[in-house]
């Protein structure tokens, strides 16, 4: 390829610099989430344009071609179809999307928030089948025959038997020379983690509150994904009862009604007991709510669940309280009062998007 | 003889044969051009070359990388595809995309011969560097050497500053110099539109910086005629590919595919003018009216050709209209179909090579070494955010204050840049008045 790849690499380097520079902005912004692919995120960046003297776009007009009476709408290719909001300010209308690997994004996040790498809990090295053909054995299917090794074995045998003739260097492998590729199982340290995102979707959690949860969850996922090879995410929503939902529903569901936080904790516990045994999994429950539990008795129940059941099984339990117009925020106080000394519990409160970065740092800053 | 000359080409034998046939047909229509070398490449490589403005080798810059990213993504998502690239050089180099069908290749080859004829005979190209391939290569080597010596960051920063000024030139200067047999870069005299040329001569720069500015200027002037003749050039090439193919190259079974392909390229996009479409219709109209189209393609640029040909019949036939934003509904709609207004708007958009007309009218008028720039306002405002940034870059190169007079919604504006900041002052009288500027 031409030198263009070098220029592209330089361009991407500049872009990464930009993203790093503006990471705080992205941290408070849901832009990235919609662009998430399996391994990468498209980050929309305003085209890093060189300034020139050029014409502005006011008034937006020009020459077109086609039928249509005076007053008829013109279809614009770069259409502002559906574009609402204040007019003007078309600056940066050239948005360029640049793919950034999730790992790289996590690394930027880690550096920006000075997050420590996670120390795996306990020493669990689970021997799993490495699954790679990196061994050799003497029997196997022809399709896996290792020609070079077979030839070598045959050569060795021929020479050892003093049958090798330099003038007629013919090597004929026999049955016992055959070598085959084989899978060799190697102990691979297992690093699986599960995240429980539990969200209060009772009437008091508004759209903005959910948006904050969504952004926080995105970054937490991104970080933990970079720390564990195998990450599963379970989404639980609750009002007075809890249920498992998919990612989409998690962010868009709007239930109403009372709040019984214990319902979510019970469901998470049940899942841990059934599917995500702590011996095999690093467990990260996150719970987001505006802190308005239904009754003091249910809060007591939550505290008991945490203390006796959840905390001993988890790497860390995080509670994020999102301020809403209606919530009293009592729940965080209650947790801090009773369990505040337990370092496996981390609580944070977020008043608006600006606090997201700090909350993430609180949650992930311990390296647990 | 022909085949020996085309030995550098990477065409398949079948395509080479067609190239030869189509060339013969084209010359039969009295198209006259320098040797054309075809290169067959896959689309990724063509995108790479397109990102460099048609040249396989340019100086290093992230801007080209950005353009490549855009083209490559566009191709990947099926949004855009480049069929062909031609560069004005001797020999003319044309890149064909491997994945094109045979019919598409034939169309593209005929199209390329049209461009080649245009390059050779349009007067605006008379002064252009026909060894640009080598020149670009030299520029690339020079810049790479500077990067080795002065470091990427420094060279890149300066290059970016210089590139911000790349449209501060006089589109008519090369032809003027060519006709007057004047030495290029004769001592910059005021007033001038060739701010780049002025800075190359007079700005207090290190040698390597001056060299970069010179390179940026040379390349900007090389590309300028193509901007001024975009509609004509594409129109001419489309006119001839259509005629050559339908009259002399295709057999009946290919006509439908040709029509499909041709109409794709010359489709009208609502709300904008397709230069291929407008251009081909201009030449067809001229032929109908009995003009000598070969003379037209020699003498004109887009603006002057439209000025000469476009009348009520043409505007009506081509359904050209003016559009604008309806303040009440804030949607874009057809505002007028009056042919004079449409024509005037077309001319205004194309005048001065489509660039804002910015003139350097004085240096050091009040003893502080400042550059005084005047924007000749034609009804279209400058984008002031960009203007500020650009002024800062002019000031950085000049290492002194820079002033710019312009207008915003018919109010006079004076932008004063001291090198660090830009102050915008409201001034009473319309700042730009063409009659006055000549007196400086």
């Amino acid at each position: 390829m031409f030198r263009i790849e070098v220029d592209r690499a330089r361009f991407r380097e500049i872009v990464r610099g930009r993203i790093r520079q503006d990471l705080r902005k992205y941290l408070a912004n849901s832009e990235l989430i919609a662009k998430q692919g399996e391994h990468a995120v498209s980050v929309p960046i305003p085209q890093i344009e060189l300034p020139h003297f050029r014409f502005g776009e006011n008034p937006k007009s020009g020459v077109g071609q086609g039928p249509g009476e005076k007053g008829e709408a013109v279809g614009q290719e770069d259409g502002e179809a559906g574009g609402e909001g204040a007019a003007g300010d078309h600056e940066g209308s050239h948005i360029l999307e640049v793919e950034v690997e999730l790992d790289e994004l996590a690394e930027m996040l880690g550096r920006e928030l000075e997050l420590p790498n996670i120390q795996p809990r306990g020493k669990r090295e689970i021997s799993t089948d490495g699954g790679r053909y990196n061994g050799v054995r003497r029997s196997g299917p022809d399709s896996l025959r290792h020609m070079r090794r077979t030839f070598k074995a045959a050569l060795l045998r021929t020479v050892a038997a003093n049958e090798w003739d330099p003038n007629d260097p013919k090597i004929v492998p026999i049955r016992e020379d055959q070598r085959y590729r084989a899978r060799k199982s190697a102990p691979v340290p297992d690093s699986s983690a599960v995240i429980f995102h539990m969200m209060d979707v009772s009437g008091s959690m508004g759209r903005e509150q959910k948006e904050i949860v969504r952004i926080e969850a995105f970054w937490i996922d991104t970080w933990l994904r970079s720390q564990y090879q195998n990450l599963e995410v379970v989404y639980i929503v609750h009002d007075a009862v809890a249920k498992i939902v998919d990612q989409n529903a998690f962010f868009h569901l709007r239930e109403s009604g009372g709040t019984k936080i214990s319902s979510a904790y019970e469901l998470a516990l049940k899942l841990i007991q059934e599917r995500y045994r702590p011996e095999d999994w690093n467990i990260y429950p996150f719970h987001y709510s505006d802190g308005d539990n239904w009754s003091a008795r249910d809060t007591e129940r939550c505290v008991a669940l945490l203390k006796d059941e959840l905390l001993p099984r988890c790497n860390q339990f995080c509670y994020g309280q999102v301020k809403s117009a209606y919530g009293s925020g009592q729940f965080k106080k209650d947790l801090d009062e009773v369990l505040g000394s337990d370092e496996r519990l981390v609580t944070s409160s977020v008043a608006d998007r600006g606090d997201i970065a700090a909350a993430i740092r609180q949650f992930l800053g311990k390296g647990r | 003889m022909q085949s020996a000359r085309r030995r550098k080409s990477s065409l398949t034998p079948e395509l080479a044969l067609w190239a030869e046939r189509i060339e013969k047909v084209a010359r039969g229509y009295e198209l006259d051009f320098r040797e054309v070398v075809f290169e067959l490449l896959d689309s990724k490589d063509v995108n790479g070359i397109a990102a460099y403005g048609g040249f396989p080798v340019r100086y290093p810059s992230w801007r080209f990388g950005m353009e490549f990213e855009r083209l490559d993504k566009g191709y990947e998502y099926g949004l855009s595809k480049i069929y062909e690239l031609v560069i004005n050089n001797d020999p003319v180099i044309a890149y064909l995309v491997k994945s094109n069908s045979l019919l598409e290749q034939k169309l593209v080859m005929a199209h390329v011969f049209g461009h080649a004829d245009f390059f050779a005979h349009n007067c605006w190209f008379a002064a252009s560097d026909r060894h640009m391939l080598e020149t670009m290569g030299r520029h690339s080597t020079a810049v790479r050497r500077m990067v080795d010596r002065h470091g990427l960051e420094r060279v890149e920063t300066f290059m970016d500053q210089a590139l911000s000024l790349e449209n501060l030139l006089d589109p008519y200067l090369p032809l003027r110099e060519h006709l007057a047999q004047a030495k290029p870069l004769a001592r910059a005299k005021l007033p001038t539109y060739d701010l780049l040329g002025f800075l190359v001569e007079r700005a207090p720069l290190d040698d390597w910086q001056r060299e970069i500015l010179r390179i940026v200027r040379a390349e900007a002037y090389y590309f300028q005629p193509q901007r001024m003749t975009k509609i004509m050039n594409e129109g001419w090439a489309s006119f001839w590919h259509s005629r050559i193919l339908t009259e002399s190259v295709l057999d009946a079974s290919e006509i439908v595919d040709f029509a499909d392909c041709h109409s794709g390229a010359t489709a009208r996009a609502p709300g904008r003018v397709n230069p291929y479409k407008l251009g081909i219709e201009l030449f067809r109209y001229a032929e109908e009216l009995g003009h000598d189209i070969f003379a037209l393609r020699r003498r004109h640029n887009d603006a002057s050709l439209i000025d000469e040909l476009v009348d009520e019949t043409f505007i009506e036939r081509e359904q050209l209209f003016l559009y604008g934003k309806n303040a009440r509904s804030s949607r874009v709609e057809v505002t007028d179909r009056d042919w004079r207004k449409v024509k005037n708007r077309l001319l205004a958009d194309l005048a001065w090579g489509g660039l804002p007309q910015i003139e350097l009218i004085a240096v050091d008028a009040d003893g502080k070494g400042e550059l005084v720039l005047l924007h000749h306002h034609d009804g279209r405002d400058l984008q002031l955010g960009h203007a500020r940034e650009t002024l800062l870059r002019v000031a950085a190169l000049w290492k002194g204050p820079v002033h710019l007079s312009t207008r915003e919604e018919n109010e006079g504006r004076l932008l004063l840049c001291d090198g660090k900041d830009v102050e915008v002052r409201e001034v009473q009288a319309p700042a730009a008045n063409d009659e006055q500027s000549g007196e400086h």
Side-chain angles (χ1 to χ4, degrees), chain A residues 61-290:
Chain A
S61 63
V63 177
Q65 196 173 17
E69 288 303 304
K70 204 161 153 174
E72 216 161 278
V74 180
Q76 291 277 309
E77 265 184 13
D78 52 356
E80 303 142 325
E84 286 292 313
D89 211 86
H90 274 286
E91 257 309 78
S93 55
H94 302 277
I95 295 288
L96 193 74
E97 296 205 343
V98 181
E99 298 243 305
V100 179
E101 300 276 308
L102 279 172
D103 278 351
E104 211 177 332
L105 200 61
E107 189 225 298
M108 291 180 194
L109 178 74
R111 208 182 294 173
E112 175 69 22
L113 300 183
E114 296 170 358
L115 299 178
N117 282 324
I118 286 174
Q119 305 298 323
R121 187 167 50 106
K123 272 190 248 117
R124 287 168 308 119
E125 203 158 85
I126 297 164
S127 181
T128 52
D129 193 345
R132 294 176 57 176
Y133 287 96
N134 50 5
V136 174
R137 41 177 195 191
R138 283 165 176 268
S139 60
D142 272 357
S143 58
L144 290 177
R145 186 162 51 195
H146 195 312
M147 295 300 185
R148 194 160 43 85
R149 296 289 277 268
T150 301
F151 179 82
K152 257 169 109 177
L155 179 63
L156 266 174
R157 181 184 46 75
T158 314
V159 174
N162 211 10
E163 282 166 11
W164 194 66
D165 174 7
N167 297 317
D168 183 22
K170 223 188 292 174
I171 305 291
V172 183
I174 59 171
R175 178 73 224 148
E176 68 192 52
D177 299 329
Q178 305 289 0
R179 296 290 184 275
Y180 301 88
R181 291 168 204 279
R183 289 166 89 111
K184 213 165 148 188
S185 64
V188 172
D190 185 53
S191 58
S192 299
V194 59
I195 301 177
F196 293 95
H197 284 302
M198 296 176 272
M199 177 161 58
D200 179 355
V201 289
S202 63
S204 54
M205 288 285 284
R207 181 187 276 217
E208 176 64 15
Q209 281 74 30
K210 290 209 191 94
E211 199 62 26
I212 288 173
V213 171
R214 187 165 127 102
I215 296 166
E216 245 184 272
F218 168 80
W219 288 104
I220 288 165
D221 289 0
T222 301
W223 177 251
L224 290 177
R225 216 174 278 280
S226 74
Q227 301 284 318
Y228 291 102
Q229 279 174 9
N230 174 23
L231 185 80
E232 285 191 19
V233 184
V234 179
Y235 296 96
I236 295 173
V237 294
H238 74 88
D239 44 15
V241 287
K243 59 184 171 192
I244 301 174
V245 295
D246 63 19
Q247 188 182 26
N248 188 39
F250 181 77
F251 291 118
H252 298 295
L253 204 66
R254 187 183 169 96
E255 304 284 278
S256 58
T259 314
K260 221 170 116 191
I261 295 173
S262 65
S263 64
Y265 292 6
E266 272 161 8
L267 181 56
L269 179 61
K270 190 169 145 237
L271 284 168
I272 291 171
Q273 284 164 339
E274 286 171 6
R275 284 197 7 224
Y276 301 104
R277 298 183 318 134
E279 298 81 52
D280 303 335
W281 293 84
N282 292 281
I283 298 170
Y284 295 93
F286 289 83
H287 177 225
Y288 314 91
S289 142
D290 58 358

Side-chain angles (χ1 to χ4, degrees), chain B residues 16-57:
Chain B
L17 219 61
W18 278 109
E20 211 164 306
R21 264 190 68 182
I22 294 169
E23 174 170 349
K24 218 169 275 167
V25 176
R27 291 197 190 273
Y29 282 106
E30 290 180 22
L31 294 183
D32 172 46
F33 40 84
R34 297 179 173 86
E35 180 194 0
V36 176
V37 175
F38 289 100
E39 298 279 352
L40 199 57
L41 296 175
D42 64 31
S43 12
K44 199 165 182 96
D45 291 348
V46 168
N47 284 341
I49 292 177
Y52 279 135
F55 292 83
V57 177

Side-chain angles (χ1 to χ4, degrees), chain B residues 27-99:
Chain B
R27 291 197 190 273
Y29 282 106
E30 290 180 22
L31 294 183
D32 172 46
F33 40 84
R34 297 179 173 86
E35 180 194 0
V36 176
V37 175
F38 289 100
E39 298 279 352
L40 199 57
L41 296 175
D42 64 31
S43 12
K44 199 165 182 96
D45 291 348
V46 168
N47 284 341
I49 292 177
Y52 279 135
F55 292 83
V57 177
R58 298 264 317 252
Y59 57 80
S61 166
W62 56 270
R63 265 193 342 155
F64 302 134
M66 177 165 77
E67 183 59 15
F68 182 56
E69 183 95 17
R70 202 181 62 73
L71 289 170
D72 207 35
K73 283 262 159 63
Y75 178 75
E76 206 176 296
Y77 300 153
L79 298 174
S80 63
K81 183 188 162 184
I82 295 173
Y83 279 99
E84 131 275 351
L85 266 178
V86 199
I87 62 175
N88 170 29
N89 189 69
D90 187 10
V92 172
I93 315 279
Y95 299 97
L96 306 183
V97 187
K98 266 185 200 156
S99 58

